[in-house]
Amino acid sequence: MIVVVTGTGTDVGKTWWAAAVITALRAGGKTAAARKPAQSFDAANTHPTDADVLASATAEDSLTVCPPHRWYPLAMAPPMAADALGLPSFTISDLVAELAPAPLADIMFVEGAGGPHSPIACDGDTTDLARGVAAEIVVLVSDAGLGSINAVRCSADALTGFPILVALNHFDETDRVHVANRLWLEQAGFEIFVTPAAIAARLSS
């Protein structure tokens, strides 16, 4: 199974959720791999990159998760970072072709950049990437608070045709806004999850 992970925007927690779901799956006996086709980051930031975090969860090498020539040390969308750094442009087809195989994995997670319509190549975004890898499910990570309903609905519109599992990051069951947002989204037909273990169970079913 191929699962694409995206968010309603940047810094909503998609890498944390991907790693946590992978950890839960592996604890339950499933095998999992992760791929980050391209990543951009602040070179001055000493925190692990997305590829490092995903590699730690899957017990793979960071350079397997994301090819070394797709690490862009500039905090912009990957194709924009490549252009600003004077590096060659690349396409969705390039990214798909470069994904390292993981034939023994029950589930392959492929994480995009930013939101569904954020550029991840010169000719496409994460929605195009999901089509390119023939994703069977998309995990959409969103903030749980004010604005999440609009963000989820707009992102879901971009992902038409894919089954979507919505992860509400930092969900607090004592926060009335979080609870109301979850209820509204569920009533609107979305599959809502507030823990990585719940998504792992859904993917294992």
Side-chain angles (χ1 to χ4, degrees):
M1 176 187 294
I2 297 179
V3 176
V4 164
V5 181
T6 189
T8 54
T10 302
D11 292 331
V12 295
K14 60 183 175 291
T15 302
W16 182 91
W17 271 85
V21 171
I22 289 166
T23 299
L25 284 166
R26 295 184 69 205
K30 293 289 186 180
T31 55
R35 300 291 178 263
K36 180 84 174 181
Q39 67 172 2
S40 53
F41 53 93
D42 182 352
N45 192 326
T46 59
H47 292 115
T49 68
D50 291 349
D52 294 326
V53 173
L54 294 170
S56 179
T58 60
E60 298 174 285
D61 187 275
S62 298
L63 299 182
T64 299
V65 173
C66 182
H69 62 289
R70 298 298 179 211
W71 294 49
Y72 298 102
L74 185 61
M76 301 172 70
M80 298 169 66
D83 183 62
L85 292 167
L87 297 172
S89 62
F90 53 93
T91 66
I92 293 292
S93 294
D94 292 331
L95 296 182
V96 173
E98 292 169 357
L99 292 179
L104 300 181
D106 295 318
I107 303 176
M108 168 84 85
F109 290 81
V110 180
E111 184 184 308
H117 278 329
S118 298
I120 196 170
C122 66
D123 64 346
D125 51 31
T126 296
T127 300
D128 298 308
L129 177 67
R131 295 191 187 101
V133 300
E136 297 172 54
I137 290 178
V138 172
V139 172
L140 174 65
V141 181
S142 171
D143 181 69
L146 288 173
S148 62
I149 291 175
N150 177 70
V152 168
R153 293 181 69 190
C154 288
S155 296
D157 286 346
L159 295 164
T160 298
F162 295 102
I164 300 171
L165 311 183
V166 178
L168 294 182
N169 198 26
H170 300 306
F171 181 83
D172 181 353
E173 62 183 9
T174 68
D175 187 312
R176 64 187 300 175
V177 174
H178 290 197
V179 173
N181 285 345
R182 177 184 183 178
L183 178 61
W184 195 98
L185 288 167
E186 287 175 336
Q187 291 176 338
F190 290 98
E191 283 192 80
I192 305 298
F193 300 84
V194 297
T195 67
I199 290 186
R202 168 67 170 78
L203 293 175
S204 298
S205 62

